Amino acid sequence: MVVTVKGKTRDLLRFIFHLRKRNRLFKKAPAAKVSPGPMNILAQELHPLFLELKVTQVRQETPLSKTFRLAATEEGKKLPCFRAGQYLVVEDRVEGTPVSRPFSLSSTPDEAADGGYYDITVKGDESGFFAPWALSTWKTGKILRCTGPAGNFYIEPLREADHLVCLAGGSGITPFRSIIKDSLSRNEAYRFTLLYGIPSEEEMIFRQELQELRRLNPDRFTFVPVCSGEQAPEGMEKGFITADLIRRYVSDIGGVSFFFCGPPAMGKHLEEELKVFHLAPRRSRREHYGNPPLESQGEAEYSVTVISGEDRKTMAAREDETVLIALERAGLNPPAMCRSGECGWCRSRLLEGEIRVPDGVSGLRRGDEKFGWFHPCSSYPRSDLVMEVPENPLKNTGE
Amino acid sequence: MNESYDIIVLGSGLGGLAAAFEASRAGKKVLLLEQHNLPGGFATSFVRGRFEFEPSLHEMPNIPSIEEASGVVRYLLDDAGLNIDFETIPDAYRVILTRGGVDVRMPFGVGAFINTIEKQVPGSREPVTAYMELCRDIQEAFGYLSRNEKKVDYRELMRRHGNFIRTGAATADEVADRLKVPPAARDLLYPYWCYLGVPTNRLSFTIWAALLNSYISGGAVIPRHRSHEISSAFVEKILEHGGRLRFNTQVARINTRSGRVVGVTTAAGEEIHCGALISNASPTLVFNSLIHPSTEVPPAARKNINARKHGFSLVVVYLGLDAGPEELGLQDYSYFIAPHMDTRALYENIGNLECRDIMQASVCLNVANPACSPPGTTILALTAGFRSEAWAAVRPSNYVKTKEQVARKLIDQFEKAVGTSILPHIEEVEVAAPATFARYTGAYDGIVYGYEPEPWDSIVPRAMAEEKEHYFENLRFCGGFSYRCHGYGSSILSGKSAAEKTLARTGG
Ligand SMILES: Cc1cc2nc3c(=O)[nH]c(=O)nc-3n(C[C@H](O)[C@H](O)[C@H](O)COP(=O)(O)OP(=O)(O)OC[C@H]3O[C@@H](n4cnc5c(N)ncnc54)[C@H](O)[C@@H]3O)c2cc1C
Ligand code: FES
């Protein structure tokens, strides 16, 4: 089959000419530089790799918790927008060891836009590592390196029912302060029922503020503190949050979206409790402040060998601590954000050895599973390990 | 630390991965630098809840022979020996033209494809058959060129594939006009135009013909574990070959001296030397912001960029649904939905945030890959072209809201066209906009496609001009902005050939 478009000879000439057209167009074009792409600039505004923030105010919330107000170190610099419910990862040197931890933003997006600050609220006692350090050493003027806001724990208008039942435990109240306050300040359709589990009255964070919000928004906000301590005061529910308790405050279980945030152990308890409601997964969102507990925890100690180029470094790792913590204890400061297996930021290559991942942690890509990559933040060693660790992009700006 | 490598590959998109793969396979000391914490660029995946989403790939043509121009799947499996499982896509596409009352499922296989068009548009068999035969001929000519890439005998090419030369300067429309393909048949024939992103009145027939023929004649596949499986399979081999891969490492500068690249400086200030550089970052980025000192960039390199038109970006709505495809009535893998198939008008409408009269190309992953999500769930991705200019007025404060509004429009368009209900089933949703692609790939302006392949800037002129437009002796490009134009197959093969050409110079 012979095909011609404009005639045999003309086609040949066209072929030759269209090659010349290229040269002609190139010659004619300006030699000016192309300015940076507007979308690259927008992406940078939305998601800077890291932020340098300064503590501008410290507020004692309860005996065990403080709110740190953070502002840009650079005068007049805008803080990135975020979605109420997201977190920041904050880095510091704890007793000389560089580590980071995620903290939900307890302030609202409007407070960042208009007031130029982010609040994080840290709770901790001596059993912790980073939190007690932050509580005892962070003072006004302290400079912190953070990631931009991250995470997927927010209201998604394309999905959520208009009644949100929020279940908070301990410091897990922080994102809800942001989510609820933000939504109530707008003319949105959402209603909230907040059940807030606390060990004692004095450990109730944002008490006055939440009560005030309830007073101002009686139709949109129901607030139920639930105290597990010996003496639960008047006006508070006693014990733990249970299915029965939820039923008493929520009549339309089938038409609500559940949001949980708090310690993993409480998450596990609530998962059992909520089973009777047969919730569709789209009706149940959660943010775990860490890994779900392992079924059984031994006390064995293994070694982890980290290979980086020609270098090898070997360190100890406990069976009951994540591989990430072992790396951090050795001062490696590998990349980490969510610390609960979801975000994939700690993704590393496992060359040898066996690990355990708690049930219910599911963020690993299937291709990573196939080719031997894993998430150290939610993996516990079961033998000696040999692995590679990616570089920490924040390290480049480290002290 | 002043390290030195034979070859540094800048960026681990598919082009960079293939280049690093070939260079390390040839025994070179290779360093692959990636700013993100994942390999693959657009060829990746992300997890939300119970779902692992495919960010970009709709399909790869499954040409059975590696000898042929689009035989990229055979290259990956048989030549490169990558450990990838592929799933087969049942039909080519379903085209729904809401204003024209068209709703047709187009099968793979040239015979069946022509029969379906004839059934819809009686009397079109002859011109469509001629059109498809011509496309086949063009593809074969590409095969000839690929096999003889090192030394093309143009007289031989003319003798064997005269049609290739005669249609070489033509647009897709010109050839369809010439063969008298009726407009109603073009409605069914043209939907893939959106994979190339240039309307058929400007689209190079050559590249269009190769694309159409390779899909329709060969059928198509997708990797079982999303594109991250392809990228990870490459990484496995690169590491096996002794290549080094560093994530979270951005190149801030390409250091040059007297027309040669001598190395790179990372964002952390580390200097690394190299004998040659293969860049997966586009010429736009390299010649405007990476080459150091910038006075080393010849004006011709920038003119070359300014003369071309950058392709467009996309909006993709990724949906994890809590109902199975049967329950949702989704029987098709690939949906092309538009008011009509006037590609010129569709191209003009690209990037209006109101989504007026736009085309969407959407994919239900489970139809080709039933195990991609848990039983009783569905992964659906709705895609539409967008130019970054449309988003230029969007500020960070209304960015999320804007994405939501666009997502609603695309969902609505899909629901109405297919006659299904999606909104009540959304369990996970993520919306990627041009800024999202800019964020994750660093691509200039979040562009997903490379430079627009008009006839004068299609694969043949680019290939023929490659040596002339080669501004630094030991710097080559691969990926969607390089000579093979964009797309998975092209990017991979461009990386392979960039490595081969680099090796030929360095004596590999
Ligand atoms: C998304 C998200 C949001 C969060 N938001 C908040 C919030 O808003 N407010 C809040 O208070 N908390 C929040 N958390 C929890 C917070 O990130 C910390 O987990 C919490 O503060 C406890 O940290 P910790 O270091 O004190 O204790 P852990 O992380 O539980 O300490 C781990 C254990 O390892 C040991 N250890 C760890 N590293 C080292 C090391 N380098 N050297 C020696 N020993 C080590 C410690 O001794 C300790 O026993 C959030 C968590 C997540 C995942
Ligand atoms: S830090 Fe998020 S997955 Fe490990």
Side-chain angles (χ1 to χ4, degrees):
Chain A
M1 182 180 68
V2 171
V3 176
T4 59
V5 184
K6 305 271 178 189
K8 255 189 169 172
T9 321
R10 275 188 70 193
D11 282 350
L12 287 184
L13 288 174
R14 270 184 109 205
F15 186 81
I16 294 161
F17 284 142
H18 97 291
L19 296 175
R20 293 197 187 145
K21 180 175 179 186
R22 182 180 182 84
N23 294 333
R24 209 175 56 240
L25 288 172
F26 283 2
K27 276 216 188 76
K28 242 179 37 200
K33 258 196 182 191
V34 178
S35 43
M39 292 304 107
N40 303 91
I41 296 170
L42 180 59
Q44 181 62 29
E45 285 173 336
L46 288 161
H47 304 288
L49 193 55
F50 81 95
L51 302 167
E52 196 179 70
L53 303 177
K54 186 164 73 184
V55 176
T56 58
Q57 196 182 310
V58 182
R59 194 172 65 228
Q60 187 88 39
E61 296 284 357
T62 67
L64 293 179
S65 64
K66 285 179 180 171
T67 292
F68 297 95
R69 181 153 293 180
L70 310 172
T73 45
E74 207 178 306
E75 197 68 39
K77 195 175 160 110
K78 273 197 171 170
L79 295 174
C81 295
F82 68 98
R83 297 177 79 161
Q86 289 191 303
Y87 63 83
L88 290 182
V89 181
V90 186
E91 199 181 276
D92 198 10
R93 270 174 191 275
V94 180
E95 285 149 18
T97 311
V99 278
S100 66
R101 290 288 186 272
F103 294 99
S104 303
L105 290 156
S106 54
S107 56
T108 65
D110 282 350
E111 287 166 331
D114 306 335
Y117 62 86
Y118 292 147
D119 281 346
I120 57 171
T121 305
V122 179
K123 180 182 174 189
D125 56 33
E126 288 317 309
S127 71
F129 180 66
F130 192 95
W133 168 265
L135 291 169
S136 63
T137 68
W138 291 1
K139 304 275 184 300
T140 302
K142 166 85 179 172
I143 301 215
L144 294 165
R145 217 183 338 270
C146 308
T147 64
N152 305 307
F153 189 69
Y154 44 68
I155 295 180
E156 175 47 68
L158 290 164
R159 171 186 56 222
E160 257 62 82
D162 56 12
H163 183 185
L164 276 78
V165 177
C166 306
L167 310 175
S171 62
I173 190 67
T174 47
F176 291 125
R177 190 244 179 213
S178 178
I179 290 173
I180 295 172
K181 189 173 176 194
D182 180 56
S183 179
L184 292 180
S185 75
R186 295 166 205 281
N187 200 12
E188 292 184 338
Y190 300 109
R191 272 188 307 134
F192 299 88
T193 301
L194 170 65
L195 285 87
Y196 178 16
I198 39 169
S200 67
E201 187 181 10
E202 60 172 19
E203 270 317 310
M204 187 163 150
I205 309 174
F206 307 133
R207 177 178 197 165
Q208 267 164 14
E209 201 169 3
L210 291 168
Q211 284 170 343
E212 183 66 4
L213 281 174
R214 171 171 58 183
R215 199 179 61 77
L216 295 173
N217 302 275
D219 301 331
R220 289 185 61 194
F221 181 36
T222 307
F223 173 42
V224 187
V226 185
C227 183
S228 63
E230 289 290 288
Q231 310 104 356
E234 272 310 295
M236 286 195 194
E237 292 289 349
K238 295 175 185 48
F240 292 101
I241 300 175
T242 61
D244 280 340
L245 184 67
I246 293 169
R247 251 198 222 99
R248 274 205 276 131
Y249 286 95
V250 184
S251 53
D252 54 337
I253 298 272
V256 306
S257 289
F258 278 91
F259 274 58
F260 163 72
C261 182
M266 178 174 174
K268 202 151 181 138
H269 155 77
L270 282 174
E271 206 169 283
E272 289 300 316
E273 286 293 318
L274 295 182
K275 270 191 181 146
V276 296
F277 299 145
H278 302 289
L279 299 175
R282 78 168 189 287
R283 289 291 187 235
S284 167
R285 317 289 306 166
R286 47 175 213 186
E287 182 93 292
H288 279 174
Y289 278 1
N291 287 302
L294 273 184
E295 290 304 329
S296 64
Q297 282 187 337
E299 303 224 320
E301 207 172 274
Y302 300 109
S303 78
V304 177
T305 302
V306 172
I307 301 182
S308 159
E310 305 291 303
D311 301 338
R312 279 175 164 253
K313 188 169 177 178
T314 297
M315 58 211 74
R318 284 162 46 171
E319 194 176 5
D320 62 346
E321 281 187 352
T322 64
V323 176
L324 177 64
I325 288 184
L327 302 174
E328 288 176 339
R329 279 184 187 279
L332 255 56
N333 193 22
M337 288 185 74
C338 76
R339 301 183 83 87
S340 49
E342 278 181 6
C343 76
W345 192 237
C346 64
R347 175 182 182 271
S348 304
R349 190 156 83 116
L350 185 62
L351 297 168
E352 279 170 41
E354 232 186 289
I355 49 164
R356 266 201 300 197
V357 178
D359 289 343
V361 175
S362 63
L364 192 66
R365 291 171 175 85
R366 295 195 207 174
D368 279 342
E369 198 176 328
K370 174 172 171 175
F371 290 103
W373 296 71
F374 76 120
H375 292 173
C377 74
S378 52
S379 302
Y380 295 79
R382 278 193 90 165
S383 72
D384 292 346
L385 307 177
V386 180
M387 64 181 291
E388 279 173 0
V389 179
E391 291 166 55
N392 190 334
L394 295 182
K395 132 201 130 170
N396 300 339
T397 53
E399 287 119 289
Chain B
M1 188 169 35
N2 259 355
E3 280 181 281
S4 181
Y5 290 84
D6 296 329
I7 297 173
I8 290 181
V9 179
L10 192 171
S12 72
L14 287 172
L17 286 167
F21 168 82
E22 288 294 350
S24 60
R25 169 153 81 167
K28 292 290 167 191
K29 189 176 173 200
V30 175
L31 173 65
L32 177 53
L33 294 172
E34 169 57 50
Q35 63 186 350
H36 196 23
N37 80 323
L38 289 165
F42 288 102
T44 175
S45 77
F46 62 94
V47 176
R48 292 287 180 275
R50 305 192 278 170
F51 301 91
E52 182 171 350
F53 292 98
E54 165 63 50
S56 60
L57 178 65
H58 284 201
E59 49 195 326
M60 290 173 82
N62 191 21
I63 293 290
S65 163
I66 200 168
E67 286 283 285
E68 293 193 56
S70 308
V72 65
V73 169
R74 293 330 314 168
Y75 164 70
L76 294 176
L77 296 179
D78 304 341
D79 182 0
L82 302 191
N83 178 6
I84 307 169
D85 294 304
F86 281 105
E87 304 278 355
T88 305
I89 293 167
D91 292 300
Y93 47 83
R94 179 164 156 197
V95 50
I96 305 176
L97 304 179
T98 47
R99 219 168 277 159
V102 172
D103 184 349
V104 184
R105 177 175 298 138
M106 300 300 299
F108 282 127
V110 175
F113 188 77
I114 294 171
N115 287 342
T116 307
I117 298 183
E118 168 66 20
K119 204 163 140 226
Q120 298 296 320
V121 190
S124 63
R125 178 180 299 282
E126 212 178 300
V128 172
T129 304
Y131 194 84
M132 294 306 290
E133 266 177 33
L134 179 59
C135 291
R136 165 92 226 153
D137 196 2
I138 303 303
Q139 169 112 21
E140 278 172 5
F142 266 124
Y144 173 83
L145 286 173
S146 295
R147 286 191 298 279
N148 299 282
E149 196 169 5
K150 296 208 176 75
K151 198 169 161 28
V152 178
D153 179 346
Y154 281 93
R155 220 175 293 153
E156 181 69 6
L157 181 68
M158 184 64 204
R159 201 176 59 72
R160 288 192 192 204
H161 298 286
N163 289 338
F164 183 82
I165 304 279
R166 282 186 295 271
T167 59
T171 64
D173 275 351
E174 282 174 340
V175 175
D177 289 346
R178 178 69 193 180
L179 296 178
K180 301 198 168 59
V181 178
R186 296 185 205 186
D187 286 350
L188 306 178
L189 199 60
Y190 276 171
Y192 283 140
W193 81 274
C194 64
Y195 287 177
L196 292 165
V198 182
T200 48
N201 66 311
R202 288 200 289 117
L203 176 61
S204 152
F205 175 73
T206 315
I207 192 162
W208 162 249
L211 178 134
L212 182 65
N213 179 73
S214 59
Y215 279 125
I216 299 305
S217 73
V221 294
I222 46 168
R224 182 173 299 163
H225 301 314
R226 312 320 97 90
S227 298
H228 184 59
E229 184 175 4
I230 303 179
S231 308
S232 303
F234 264 127
V235 167
E236 184 186 47
K237 289 285 175 188
I238 293 165
L239 297 174
E240 209 175 283
H241 296 155
R244 175 121 198 259
L245 166 53
R246 288 177 59 181
F247 290 117
N248 297 332
T249 307
Q250 191 180 42
V251 170
R253 275 182 9 199
I254 297 172
N255 300 317
T256 64
R257 203 180 305 132
S258 334
R260 280 185 65 84
V261 173
V262 294
V264 301
T265 304
T266 68
E270 191 182 336
E271 253 187 66
I272 311 172
H273 300 301
C274 64
L277 184 85
I278 298 176
S279 177
N280 198 172
S282 64
T284 306
L285 290 175
V286 168
F287 294 131
N288 285 294
S289 46
L290 289 176
I291 295 280
H292 179 85
S294 67
T295 47
E296 282 277 315
V297 178
R302 292 209 184 114
K303 283 167 164 262
N304 179 326
I305 293 159
N306 292 333
R308 308 164 106 173
K309 196 164 161 59
H310 288 82
F312 53 72
S313 184
L314 305 172
V315 167
V316 188
V317 183
Y318 305 98
L319 298 163
L321 305 171
D322 72 352
E326 315 75 32
E327 197 183 324
L328 297 168
L330 302 178
Q331 293 158 18
D332 297 275
Y333 172 78
S334 176
Y335 296 82
F336 292 113
I337 301 167
H340 49 69
M341 198 43 71
D342 175 350
T343 61
R344 203 166 164 169
L346 292 171
Y347 179 85
E348 288 309 318
N349 283 338
I350 275 175
N352 75 86
L353 290 177
E354 296 77 40
C355 301
R356 231 179 314 101
D357 292 348
I358 62 165
M359 173 171 179
Q360 68 169 271
S362 299
V363 157
C364 176
L365 210 53
N366 307 65
V367 173
N369 186 1
C372 72
S373 66
T377 66
T378 299
I379 292 180
L380 183 66
L382 316 180
T383 303
F386 273 86
R387 283 200 203 86
S388 82
E389 292 95 84
W391 290 80
V394 177
R395 297 321 311 146
S397 52
N398 61 351
Y399 177 71
V400 168
K401 193 80 212 158
T402 308
K403 288 208 297 184
E404 182 203 327
Q405 283 160 351
V406 170
R408 281 191 196 278
K409 297 260 165 63
L410 290 174
I411 292 169
D412 184 61
Q413 186 186 32
F414 185 87
E415 287 184 332
K416 289 204 175 110
V418 179
T420 182
S421 175
I422 299 300
L423 264 182
H425 294 288
I426 295 178
E427 181 175 321
E428 299 291 344
V429 50
E430 204 59 65
V431 184
T436 315
F437 296 114
R439 174 189 182 191
Y440 286 111
T441 69
Y444 174 75
D445 224 12
I447 288 167
V448 179
Y449 293 171
Y451 306 111
E452 289 192 347
E454 288 194 45
W456 64 270
D457 196 21
S458 182
I459 177 165
V460 174
R462 286 192 202 183
M464 292 178 81
E466 208 196 5
E467 291 314 308
K468 195 170 138 244
E469 295 167 14
H470 186 207
Y471 303 108
F472 289 84
E473 196 234 307
N474 57 348
L475 163 63
R476 291 205 177 258
F477 288 94
C478 61
F481 285 83
S482 69
Y483 83 99
R484 274 182 182 265
C485 309
H486 49 269
Y488 268 53
S490 307
S491 295
I492 292 169
L493 296 174
S494 75
K496 174 176 183 276
S497 87
E500 284 165 355
K501 286 169 190 159
T502 301
L503 292 168
R505 290 246 178 165
T506 57

